[in-house]
Amino acid sequence: MAGFTLLEVLASLVLLALLLIGVYSGLRTATHSVRSGTAAVERIDQIRSAQQFLQRELAQSMAQPISKNERGENIYFQGDAHEMRYVAPLPGYLGKLGPQLQSLKLVDDGHGDASLVFSLALLPPDGSPPKALGDPQVLLDHIRSGGFAYRGLDALGQKVPWSAAWPDGRLLPLLVRVQLQPQGNYAWPLIEVPLRVNPLASGAATGLQPLNAVSGGAR
């Protein structure tokens, strides 16, 4: 029985190598596609979760003091283009701790993007400074641009147009806008959240109930 020549063996090895390269390339492409798809789904879930969290927590803002100004008047809300502070309850077991000082801040990540960072602090009943609760949490990373804006009425009932800074912390804005642009082809819809003030949150006369009563005029 005649055997294979060296040339035939080499040709067979070359064909086998080409076949293995093709199989490997196909597997690599499929693996990359699966990873890219999984990363895209996770990113979309992260963006959707951040949107839902912001809408829920901002809508539950309460008229509870977070500090005082230089005249000793209560401050209920602080906000500028990159940070806002307010009091609201959290859902679930964290809500058992009572209303908490919440902070949302756009922080530079050191790589040209920003991260939306959320932090909590307990408000001691004796009026002492807030106490941080846990470590800050990143709600959304890789943000290319964006910021916060506010709209409402001032202490005289006059309209405050959209502004990158809320001018009077003695009052809560009627609307808070969150506008972000994540990296990549991911959409962030324009979020404008009406703040729902809990009248039981403060026994002081803050003028917040009248503001809510005419909130339609600030739109």
Side-chain angles (χ1 to χ4, degrees), residues 85-96:
R85 301 170 74 237
Y86 56 92
V87 174
L90 280 174
Y93 75 94
L94 287 176
K96 297 179 180 179

Side-chain angles (χ1 to χ4, degrees), residues 49-153:
S49 297
Q51 293 168 354
Q52 294 173 348
F53 182 86
L54 292 174
Q55 290 174 323
R56 181 181 66 245
E57 292 305 310
L58 287 171
Q60 296 187 94
S61 298
M62 303 170 67
Q64 182 165 330
I66 60 178
S67 63
K68 293 183 180 294
N69 61 19
E70 63 278 4
R71 296 185 297 273
E73 299 170 316
N74 289 331
I75 297 296
Y76 298 91
F77 188 95
Q78 294 176 322
D80 59 30
H82 297 100
E83 183 177 10
M84 68 178 89
R85 301 170 74 237
Y86 56 92
V87 174
L90 280 174
Y93 75 94
L94 287 176
K96 297 179 180 179
L97 299 175
Q100 298 161 46
L101 175 61
Q102 301 187 8
S103 172
L104 290 165
K105 188 174 184 179
L106 287 169
V107 179
D108 188 347
D109 65 2
H111 301 285
D113 293 336
S115 296
L116 180 60
V117 178
F118 173 75
S119 58
L120 289 172
L122 293 176
L123 292 169
D126 59 3
S128 57
K131 298 180 180 179
L133 181 63
D135 296 326
Q137 301 295 318
V138 175
L139 295 181
L140 185 66
D141 54 8
H142 301 299
I143 300 172
R144 186 168 57 202
S145 62
F148 310 136
Y150 316 90
R151 190 179 186 184
L153 303 176

Side-chain angles (χ1 to χ4, degrees), residues 6-21:
L6 179 60
L7 184 61
E8 291 173 333
V9 172
L10 292 176
S12 300
L13 291 176
V14 170
L15 291 175
L16 179 61
L18 292 175
L19 178 61
L20 292 176
I21 290 174

